[in-house]
Amino acid sequence: MFDPAARTRARLRDLETRTRDRAEAAAVAEGVAETMGLSEARGAVFEGPPSPGRPYRRQTGLDWLARKGRISPAQKSAGERYGALYRRTAREGAIRSTLDVRPGGGGPAGPGLREEVLLMAAEGSAQAAARLAAMRARLWDQADLISACDLICGQELTPREAVASEREVGRIEALVAVALDVLAGESRARG
């Protein structure tokens, strides 16, 4: 039995759904544009424009400096090593959660598998902290150089995000370049 009213209602529902989906997509795109605009105003840099299906990717401070030609590949490599150690050391206080609670390790005498994993993670963090301390000692324990490396390499901020005023951007870029030059030179001398 042919019912023209049911067919019309179905078409109207489809049209309403498509209109609602388009409005939602436009609102999401507007929100993304606003968020990116605010982040860019604070100094963040994004790679783009993205191809369909590929999201925007925020550039790290080292990527930005390398792209602008302010640091060499050797300096960038030294900064990436510093950043990896910094982030590993910063995570050391985090204790992973588990729902598998077995008092005493649940096995024969000695630590259980979970305890072994935690001990290995703690040992890796301790080694990272020692290597980071050695890198900081190579920077002559200068607070400005260490702070610049922590912000740009460790926290992955761009120079504009890392400082409060435009006047300080050039200063932090220079500090990072000097620190990375020292770290890259030291690693070349060792290797």
Side-chain angles (χ1 to χ4, degrees), residues 35-49 54-68 70 152 156-162 169 173:
T35 300
M36 286 182 59
L38 291 171
S39 294
E40 286 173 344
R42 286 188 295 249
V45 180
F46 295 91
E47 285 185 7
R54 188 179 137 235
Y56 282 97
R57 188 175 85 79
R58 182 186 170 281
Q59 283 187 344
T60 65
L62 287 174
D63 289 339
W64 186 86
L65 289 169
R67 180 184 250 179
K68 295 290 183 180
R70 309 249 168 88
I152 305 300
E156 299 183 321
L157 300 174
T158 62
R160 290 186 73 204
E161 291 175 308
V169 171
E173 285 181 16

Side-chain angles (χ1 to χ4, degrees), residues 123-187:
E123 184 177 313
S125 293
Q127 288 175 352
R131 290 177 59 201
L132 182 63
M135 289 182 96
R136 288 176 170 173
R138 279 189 245 144
L139 295 174
W140 310 291
D141 289 321
Q142 291 290 317
D144 285 346
L145 295 176
I146 292 170
S147 176
C149 283
D150 287 352
L151 292 169
I152 305 300
C153 304
Q155 296 177 23
E156 299 183 321
L157 300 174
T158 62
R160 290 186 73 204
E161 291 175 308
V163 295
S165 69
E166 286 294 320
R167 292 181 354 177
E168 294 291 313
V169 171
R171 181 177 181 272
I172 198 163
E173 285 181 16
L175 286 170
V176 168
V178 167
L180 294 179
D181 198 34
V182 168
L183 294 175
E186 293 286 331
S187 64

